Amino acid sequence: MPVFTVIAETTMSATAQQVNFTSIPSSYDHLYLTCSTREGGSSYSAEMEFRFNGSGSGPYSNTYLNTYNSSGHPISSRDTSVGDVIGLTTAGGVLADTFSSIIMWIPHYANTSNGKQVFIQSLGPNDDTTTGRWFLRLTAGLWNNTAAINAIRMQGAGGPELVVGTSLVLYGITNDA
């Protein structure tokens, strides 16, 4: 049975451009990050960027599926080759105090033989006076680097700040035999 151990947690008491977890030990089998996020931009959703070990040049790649209902948009997918792994968050265009949920799983994060797979689930609730403002994004990402992940940085894409109340909990998962 897997054992989840809290490595680090934070709840923002002031707005900030980014959140960093550093000195992540390599003693676990996997990493699991849960987030309650909201960005200060004016849209109702915004991309959330994740970078590892301070590396903004990648190589990172993403494939994601979006489903949302603002004028009946269908499921879409997109492949990207960018400087980070991308999730999605609610932003300042939805009702105050509406936060999204982001869950990220990084299996075998300390492996030094291969790149690191990343799976992200992003969910924005329909908590708005405008119907159909909800989203779900499933991201499959890759950080094609053999270094063990020892730091994670999360920030809003394009510069808007993360708002007060944004919270993150980073877990190390050990496979208990």
Side-chain angles (χ1 to χ4, degrees):
M1 174 175 278
V3 176
F4 285 67
T5 303
V6 175
I7 296 173
E9 61 185 309
T10 187
T11 299
M12 296 176 59
S13 58
T15 59
Q17 183 65 39
Q18 60 190 357
V19 176
N20 293 290
F21 289 123
T22 59
S23 302
I24 298 170
S26 61
S27 55
Y28 301 99
D29 296 309
H30 316 289
L31 293 177
Y32 190 79
L33 178 68
T34 62
C35 312
S36 176
T37 61
R38 181 181 170 102
E39 195 179 69
S42 61
S43 180
Y44 74 92
S45 67
E47 291 190 332
M48 187 61 61
E49 301 171 343
F50 295 91
R51 292 186 182 174
F52 307 115
N53 297 4
S55 175
S57 61
Y60 295 89
S61 62
N62 298 277
T63 298
Y64 54 83
L65 293 173
N66 285 331
T67 184
Y68 54 98
N69 190 6
S70 176
S71 304
H73 292 288
I75 294 175
S76 61
S77 67
R78 183 175 128 196
D79 292 318
T80 61
S81 183
V82 294
D84 41 46
V85 179
I86 300 172
L88 200 60
T89 185
T90 54
V94 297
L95 291 177
D97 298 327
T98 300
F99 286 74
S100 61
S101 171
I102 298 176
I103 298 170
M104 180 168 63
W105 177 46
I106 309 171
H108 310 292
Y109 74 102
N111 178 337
T112 56
S113 299
N114 300 304
K116 311 303 176 286
Q117 299 171 335
V118 180
F119 302 98
I120 302 174
Q121 176 184 314
S122 308
L123 170 69
N126 188 29
D127 188 10
D128 198 328
T129 57
T130 303
T131 59
R133 286 201 174 168
W134 60 270
F135 62 81
L136 174 64
R137 175 181 279 185
L138 303 174
T139 303
L142 175 69
W143 183 47
N144 198 12
N145 192 309
T146 58
I149 293 175
N150 60 25
I152 298 173
R153 183 186 85 185
M154 182 185 85
Q155 74 175 37
E161 295 183 324
L162 300 166
V163 302
V164 172
T166 292
S167 63
L168 299 89
V169 181
L170 178 64
Y171 297 90
I173 302 174
T174 305
N175 294 326
D176 187 17

